[in-house]
C-alpha cells in the first residue's frame, strides 16, 4: 500500500509540473564523449542523467516526474533491502519484483566473451548476483544481449559442480547437463544458466567469470543491462576478483544532473586514498551482501538530534542498523530517526513547509537557508554540504530535504545511506581491513 500511495503522489506531481519542465533536459547529442576506462578505474554514469548511456529514453520527462519516480523506486528498493536484512520477511503484496534484478542507478561499461561484446552493468553494492541478459532471453527488454554462441570462451557451468551448489535454487533439467537456477520475488521470476566467460573491465580481464546468463524473465520487466554485484558474498564480482582487486574498491558517484561522464569506480588497492576518515564495517553473518556501518547519531547544524538508540542500533538477529547503498537514491531513515532530523531541519529553516513527490520537507521560498547535516559514525563524521542534503525543483524555487522515512505503514528496521548523500565523495570499501572511508571529492559539476 505504501508504494501505491507514493505512486499516486508521483502521478499528480508529474501532471502538475510536467508542462515546460523538460526544457532543462539537453539533447543527447550535446553530451560529451565518454573518456576511456584505464587501469582499474571505470567511468561511472548515472542511469537517469541527461547523458545516460542507456539513452535519452531512460531519463524522466521532467524534474518533478523524475523525483516522484525515484521516490517510488526507492520505496520498493528499501523494502527489498529490508527483506534481505530480515530473514524470513516477505513483502510480496507490497514490493514489486523489479528489485530482483535492479533498475540501475549507476552503470559502468564492460566487455564479455571472445571476441569481446560490449555491455553495461549496474553497480550494486548490496547485491552478490552477476546477471547478464543473454540472447534469446524471453522477457528481457534489452536490444543488445550477450550472445554466448558468438563467444569462443563461453562455458556453461556443469551440474554437480561446486559452483552449481552455490547457486540459488539450482536445477538440472533432464535434457541438459548445464546448471540452471532461478529466483522468485513478489510477482517476478528469473531463470538463468550458470555460465563462465572472460569479463574485461577497464584494462583487466577476469578469466572464467561466473555469471547468470538470463534465459527467462517473467512478471515485472527485467532491466536492459547486466548487474555487477559488489556485495561480499561468495559469487559476487568482488569475491570472484579477490586475486586481482583484493576485495577493495572505491567510487565517486556523479550527480544525476551532470552531463559529464566523470564519476569513477576504482577497483583494487592501487590509487586508493591513503589518508581518509574511516569507520568499521559491521558483519551481519546472515547478510554478507550488505555493507553495515555503525551510525551513532545525526547532527543538524550543530545540534545532535534526539534519536532513540534503538533506531540506530546494529542487530544481526533482526537485521536492524545502517547500510550504505549505491542503488537507493535518497537516504531513508527509520521513522523516529527521520522525524528527529526533519523536525530540526524545519525548525532551523523556519519557513512554511510543503511536500513534493514523496518528500515532506519542502520550502517554496528560494531564499531559505539550509543547515548542514552531519552523519556521525563510529570513528568518523561526514558533514554533508547542501548539494547532498537538498533537492531543488526545475526552476530552483522549491527545495526539499532529500531524505525520507520508511514507506507508509511499513515498519522497516534499516537506515539506508543512499547515493544522493554519497555523491561527490570518494567512498572506499576496504573489506580486508573491515572499514569504509569517506572523503570529499568533486567528481562532477553540479
Ligand atoms: C557503535 O559505536 C558506539 C560508539 O562508539 C559503540 O558504543 C557501539 O558498541 C558500536 N556498536 C557496534 C555494533 O559496534
Ligand atoms: C564538464 O567538464 C568540463 C571539464 O572538466 C567542464 O569544462 C564542463 O563545464 C563540464 N560540463 C558540465 C555540463 O558539467
Amino acid at each position: 500500500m505504501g508504494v501505491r500511495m507514493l505512486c499516486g503522489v508521483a502521478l499528480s506531481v508529474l501532471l502538475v509540473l510536467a508542462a515546460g519542465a523538460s526544457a532543462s533536459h539537453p539533447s543527447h547529442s550535446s553530451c560529451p564523449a565518454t573518456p576511456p576506462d584505464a587501469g582499474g578505474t571505470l567511468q561511472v554514469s548515472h542511469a537517469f542523467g541527461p547523458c545516460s548511456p542507456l539513452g535519452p529514453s531512460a531519463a524522466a520527462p521532467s524534474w518533478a516526474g523524475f523525483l516522484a519516480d525515484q521516490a517510488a523506486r526507492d520505496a520498493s528498493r528499501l523494502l527489498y533491502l529490508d527483506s534481505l536484512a530480515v530473514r524470513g520477511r516477505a513483502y510480496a503484496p507490497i514490493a514489486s519484483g523489479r528489485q530482483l534484478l535492479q533498475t540501475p542507478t549507476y552503470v559502468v561499461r564492460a566487455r564479455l566473451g571472445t571476441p569481446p561484446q560490449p555491455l553495461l552493468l549496474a553497480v550494486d553494492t548490496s547485491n552478490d548476483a552477476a546477471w547478464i541478459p543473454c540472447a534469446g532471453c524471453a522477457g528481457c527488454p534489452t536490444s543488445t544481449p550477450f550472445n554466448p554462441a558468438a563467444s569462443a570462451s563461453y562455458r556453461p557451468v556443469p551440474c554437480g559442480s561446486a559452483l552449481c551448489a552455490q547457486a540459488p535454487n539450482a536445477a538440472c533439467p533432464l535434457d541438459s547437463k548445464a546448471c540452471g537456477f532461478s529466483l522468485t520475488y513478489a510477482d517476478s521470476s528469473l531463470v538463468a544458466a550458470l555460465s563462465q566467460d572472460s569479463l574485461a573491465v577497464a584494462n583487466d580481464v577476469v578469466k572464467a567469470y561466473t555469471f547468470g546468463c538470463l534465459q527467462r524473465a517473467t512478471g515485472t520487466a527485467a532491466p536492459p543491462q547486466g548487474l555487477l554485484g559488489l556485495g561480499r558474498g561468495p559469487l559476487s564480482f568482488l569475491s570472484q576478483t579477490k586475486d586481482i582487486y583484493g576485495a577493495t574498491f572505491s567510487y565517486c558517484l556523479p550527480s544525476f544532473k551532470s552531463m559529464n561522464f566523470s564519476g569513477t569506480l576504482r577497483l583494487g588497492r592501487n590509487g586508493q586514498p591513503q589518508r581518509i576518515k574511516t569507520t568499521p564495517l559491521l558483519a551481519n553473518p546472515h547478510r554478507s551482501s550488505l555493507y553495515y556501518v555503525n551510525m551513532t547519531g545525526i547532527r543538524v547544524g550543530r545540534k545532535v538530534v534526539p534519536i532513540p538508540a534503538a533506531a540506530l542500533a546494529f542487530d544481526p538477529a533482526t537485521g536492524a542498523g545502517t547500510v550504505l547503498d549505491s542503488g537507493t537514491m535518497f537516504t531513508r531513515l527509520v521513522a523516529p530517526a527521520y522525524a528527529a532530523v526533519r523536525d530540526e531541519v524545519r525548525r532551523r529553516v523556519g519557513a512554511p513547509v510543503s511536500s513534493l513527490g514523496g518528500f515532506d520537507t519542502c520550502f517554496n521560498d528560494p531564499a531559505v537557508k539550509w543547515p548542514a547535516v552531519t552523519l556521525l559514525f563510529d570513528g568518523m563524521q561526514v558533514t554533508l554540504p547542501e548539494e547532498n542534503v537538498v533537492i531543488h525543483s526545475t526552476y530552483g524555487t522549491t527545495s526539499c530535504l532529500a531524505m525520507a522515512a520508511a514507506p507508509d505503514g511499513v515498519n522497516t528496521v534499516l537506515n539506508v545511506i543512499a547515493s544522493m548523500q554519497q555523491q561527490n565523495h570518494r567512498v572506499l570499501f576496504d573489506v580486508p581491513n573491515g572499514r569504509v572511508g569517506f572523503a570529499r571529492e568533486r567528481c562532477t559539476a553540479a
Side-chain angles (χ1 to χ4, degrees), residues 131-148:
W131 299 101
I132 311 278
C134 280
C137 172
C140 291
T142 182
S143 55
T144 51
F146 172 67
N147 183 5

Side-chain angles (χ1 to χ4, degrees), residues 282 294 296 314 378:
L282 302 177
N294 185 0
T296 55
F314 173 63
D378 187 9

Side-chain angles (χ1 to χ4, degrees), residues 258-260 445:
S258 174
M259 292 179 64
N260 277 354

Side-chain angles (χ1 to χ4, degrees), residues 34-38 40-49 51-53 104-110 120-124 228 230 249-256 258-267 326 419 423-427 443-444:
T34 305
D37 296 333
T41 299
L42 288 84
Q43 303 294 313
V44 174
S45 63
H46 204 292
F48 305 108
C51 295
S52 168
T105 306
Y106 291 96
V107 290
V108 295
R109 294 168 303 182
L120 292 169
L121 299 175
V123 174
D124 189 342
L228 188 70
L230 290 171
F249 67 96
S250 71
Y251 53 59
C252 185
L253 300 176
S255 160
F256 55 85
S258 174
M259 292 179 64
N260 277 354
F261 204 102
S262 46
T264 56
L265 170 67
R266 195 174 290 150
L267 299 165
S326 63
S419 67
Q423 73 193 22
N424 283 322
H425 287 81
R426 172 76 34 198
V427 184
C443 56
T444 46

Side-chain angles (χ1 to χ4, degrees), residues 165-355:
Q166 289 180 345
N169 309 318
C172 293
L174 290 176
D175 56 347
S176 165
K177 292 193 177 64
C179 179
F181 66 104
S182 62
L183 280 180
T184 306
Y185 181 75
D187 53 354
S188 296
S189 71
L190 298 169
V191 177
L194 197 63
S195 308
Q196 292 186 320
D197 208 335
S198 288
L199 180 74
V201 287
N203 292 357
D204 299 315
V205 174
V206 186
K207 292 214 174 85
Y209 176 67
T210 305
F211 62 97
C213 194
L214 280 178
Q215 296 174 323
R216 197 168 75 234
T218 55
T220 313
Q225 83 300 312
L227 178 62
L228 188 70
L230 290 171
R232 288 173 282 176
L235 275 182
S236 75
F237 174 83
L238 204 65
S239 299
Q240 290 194 51
T241 58
K242 224 177 243 159
D243 293 348
I244 314 176
Y245 301 128
T248 305
F249 67 96
S250 71
Y251 53 59
C252 185
L253 300 176
S255 160
F256 55 85
K257 288 195 209 167
S258 174
M259 292 179 64
N260 277 354
F261 204 102
S262 46
T264 56
L265 170 67
R266 195 174 290 150
L267 299 165
R269 309 205 64 80
N270 284 349
Q272 300 298 359
Q274 296 305 303
R275 292 166 54 88
I276 186 169
K277 294 179 290 185
T278 64
T279 187
L281 266 176
L282 302 177
N284 181 342
H286 307 308
R287 286 303 164 199
S288 58
S289 48
L290 299 181
Y291 288 101
Y292 279 92
V293 288
N294 185 0
M295 186 163 73
T296 55
I298 300 178
R299 237 173 26 218
V300 173
R302 291 213 199 123
K303 181 176 174 188
V304 177
V305 298
I307 299 174
L312 300 179
F314 173 63
D315 183 348
T318 64
T322 302
V323 299
L324 291 171
D325 182 43
S326 63
T328 309
M329 186 132 176
F330 301 108
T331 287
R332 293 270 179 166
L333 300 174
V334 301
Y338 178 69
V341 171
R342 176 200 62 198
D343 291 351
E344 182 62 13
V345 167
R346 288 180 177 178
R347 199 188 66 77
R348 283 284 304 259
V349 173
V353 174
S354 61
S355 61

